[in-house]
Amino acid sequence: MNLHSLNFAYLMRFLALAEHLHFSKAAEELGIAQPLLSEQIKALEYAIDVKLFDRTSRRVELTTAGKMFRDRVQLVVQGMQDSVEAAKATELGEQNRLRLGYTDEFAIDYLPYWVRRIKESQPTADLDLMPGMTPQLTELLKNGLADAILVCPIPEEPLGKEYQILPLEPLPLSVALPASHPLKKRKKVKISTLADEHFIEGPLSPQAASERVINRLFSQHGVERDIVQRVHDSELGVNLVAEGVGITIGHFSSRAKNRDDVTIVELDEPEAKLTRAILWRKSARPPMLDTALDVIASNGR
């Protein structure tokens, strides 16, 4: 038997004849001429060297071998159909997948909004969201473990010509004050006016973008912060402000700005901003990244 001579179409036509046991009906279902169907069944029997049908002028019946062959071929055809569907699903999944890294600054407000808009545009979008610090996310991108990264701050060292960067609007830094604080009615405050305050520092990390900018700001103005509490969670920091433990500086969520027990006042310093951007590799740009870029570029929020 020469398996290379088997034609998948012949198997499908064999199944049609095995179902109808009538050449005319099977040919009509297949949309081919009856003589062609007869020739292809003969070719199939010749290729596998097995008689599949008993034919007379009045009837067509499966042989015992033909019945066994029918049952096995049905499994083969079903397996092929399942394989095709699985391949299509895999391809669709890859097209709809986006591995997106992000720093904490994006999680406060922007990222949830962007995710909603992306899914509204592409309901089948499969977003793999990966938190981290800028150096960690940069390594993920370099090693092909992320398709794009949202970073704050923008890396000081250029990544190379093979990477694309889209700068986003910088984030202004503000100070969170207790609702009863004397500075709560000001629209903006200078660093110098905070010299005598107690500070809550956080999120605590030597790589945290906001802490590096804040430390630089206070150093430039010759003000040393009196840090009374360090935290790993920005929301906890705001809660401690509400309890009167101290004040904290950072970029705050809309929810924090709408609290009654805390007042958010922007810092009146040109350098009190966090740079941010989205980066990706030019050579690896999945289709879903284009959707994400459109959303981010048009909905900076």
Side-chain angles (χ1 to χ4, degrees), residues 162-276:
E162 66 270 30
Y163 296 94
Q164 188 77 33
I165 180 170
L166 174 64
L168 304 174
E169 185 178 352
L171 300 176
L173 287 172
S174 302
V175 56
L177 307 166
S180 59
H181 198 282
L183 297 175
K184 70 175 184 178
K185 293 184 178 180
R186 295 197 183 186
K187 292 183 178 180
K188 292 186 177 183
V189 295
K190 293 281 189 180
I191 291 291
S192 57
T193 63
L194 305 176
D196 298 327
E197 299 289 340
H198 300 305
F199 285 87
I200 300 163
E201 183 184 58
L204 181 60
S205 170
Q207 297 175 327
S210 57
E211 286 305 315
R212 292 209 306 273
V213 174
I214 292 167
N215 289 335
R216 190 181 306 126
L217 279 172
F218 277 81
S219 177
Q220 289 173 348
H221 290 272
V223 176
E224 184 175 350
R225 285 189 295 168
D226 176 20
I227 299 173
V228 296
Q229 182 64 52
R230 290 182 169 88
V231 296
H232 292 271
D233 181 83
S234 58
E235 186 172 355
L236 174 59
V238 174
N239 290 337
L240 292 176
V241 170
E243 293 296 329
V245 176
I247 67 174
T248 188
I249 293 176
H251 174 68
F252 301 100
S253 67
S254 299
R255 182 169 57 182
K257 294 175 182 178
N258 291 328
R259 291 179 60 153
D260 295 330
D261 53 359
V262 171
T263 300
I264 308 297
V265 180
E266 190 173 331
L267 290 179
D268 188 15
E269 306 292 350
E271 308 88 355
K273 294 180 180 179
L274 301 175
T275 61
R276 59 188 187 131

Side-chain angles (χ1 to χ4, degrees), residues 103 132-140 142 149 151 153 155 207 212:
T103 57
M133 296 293 183
T134 294
Q136 300 165 346
L137 297 178
T138 301
E139 287 303 310
L140 289 178
K142 288 181 177 179
I149 55 175
V151 294
Q207 297 175 327
R212 292 209 306 273

